[in-house]
Amino acid sequence: MSTATGRTISMSKSIAYFALSLVINSAGNVITLVTSSKIHPSYLGSAYWTAAEANFATAINWNLFWTFLIIGVLTTVLNAILIGKWEWGRALGNLIFMVPFSFLIQVFEDFFMGKYPSLFAGFPDAKTPGMVIFYVLLNFFGVAMIATAISIYQRVNLVLHPADDLMQVLRFKYFKGNANVAMWVSYVPPTVLAIIAFAVTRQFTNFGLGTIFALLFQGGITGIADKAIFPRLKHQAVDVG
């Protein structure tokens, strides 16, 4: 695994890589949500963290904004415990990540749902077996986009989503760079949230085939993307304590 304790690329290149990865990640997340909503009954589901947090929000009767924000802050605290120190810059970066990410999520949702008909009329409901198969494959492709984006912005390492920062800390401090194992272990917190939510509501909404696909393969795809997408881009300024 190619890593660098400092930075081997310019700040302008770092920002360009980060911006590209943010667009890919946002589009991938929305693709999983939209394709899931177009199959009735919905059984595709969303990405693992998203599904768990949404279920937890329902269970404790919080809105998504506060649920995602508070869990993000708690994950940032967990990251600090794992690396053995608190860094205000790192914590602030985790919060900064969420602002453009949330904005792009809304933009892509509007686009894929057909709110800009002059550009794209939106995905229709799946009414044939062929459309269902297409949406399942597109859902999986959305997960692959998320995994690829994680690979890029983790290597750039300017600012990270708290969950992705957790995965990176686990990956390089505890699992010798193994993205697949680190991803699975990073799913322990959302799994706990999902279990609590199920104990309260007795429902597993937002989970489905796409969630299972993400659980099994997202980490592995991230590892593949490290080697296949921008292969000369090393992990920059890795600091896991």
Side-chain angles (χ1 to χ4, degrees):
M1 183 62 57
S2 297
T3 62
T5 54
R7 293 200 170 273
T8 61
I9 60 175
S10 67
M11 183 56 67
S12 61
K13 285 186 177 180
S14 296
I15 293 173
Y17 278 128
F18 173 72
L20 175 62
S21 66
L22 205 60
V23 171
I24 296 172
N25 194 5
S26 304
N29 268 285
V30 173
I31 285 173
T32 64
L33 292 171
V34 172
T35 52
S36 179
S37 70
K38 295 300 180 179
I39 295 178
H40 307 287
S42 179
Y43 54 80
L44 277 178
S46 56
Y48 197 77
W49 272 89
T50 303
E53 289 176 301
N55 280 12
F56 187 72
T58 300
I60 62 176
N61 199 29
W62 285 0
N63 64 38
L64 288 179
F65 173 79
W66 285 110
T67 303
F68 277 57
L69 180 62
I70 292 173
I71 292 175
V73 170
L74 292 176
T75 305
T76 298
V77 173
L78 174 61
N79 295 340
I81 292 172
L82 291 174
I83 65 175
K85 58 183 177 180
W86 177 263
E87 296 177 341
W88 282 107
R90 190 174 196 145
L92 183 60
N94 289 164
L95 293 176
I96 289 173
F97 181 97
M98 298 180 190
V99 177
F101 177 68
S102 299
F103 171 76
L104 286 170
I105 286 286
Q106 188 62 60
V107 169
F108 279 115
E109 181 183 24
D110 290 344
F111 178 77
F112 287 129
M113 293 300 288
K115 293 187 178 181
Y116 308 110
S118 60
L119 297 174
F120 180 62
F123 289 115
D125 288 342
K127 297 181 179 179
T128 65
M131 285 295 292
V132 170
I133 293 172
F134 173 70
Y135 281 160
V136 170
L137 294 177
L138 190 58
N139 187 282
F140 292 173
F141 179 70
V143 172
M145 290 176 67
I146 297 169
T148 300
I150 291 172
S151 164
I152 297 171
Y153 65 64
Q154 278 190 341
R155 280 180 284 164
V156 172
N157 200 25
L158 283 178
V159 294
L160 297 172
H161 188 283
D164 298 323
D165 200 10
L166 171 62
M167 184 261 196
Q168 178 145 288
V169 171
L170 292 169
R171 180 180 184 181
F172 290 108
K173 186 167 185 177
Y174 298 99
F175 299 114
K176 301 179 180 179
N178 190 311
N180 215 17
V181 175
M183 183 67 76
W184 286 336
V185 176
S186 74
Y187 283 155
V188 170
T191 299
V192 172
L193 295 177
I195 291 171
I196 294 172
F198 179 74
V200 174
T201 66
R202 300 296 176 181
Q203 295 180 356
F204 262 133
T205 56
N206 303 303
F207 286 90
L209 289 179
T211 314
I212 295 171
F213 182 82
L215 177 63
L216 295 177
F217 300 113
Q218 186 171 308
I221 296 172
T222 296
I224 293 170
D226 284 347
K227 300 175 182 178
I229 308 298
F230 305 125
R232 295 185 179 180
L233 177 60
K234 297 181 180 180
H235 282 84
Q236 304 291 302
V238 175
D239 179 11
V240 293

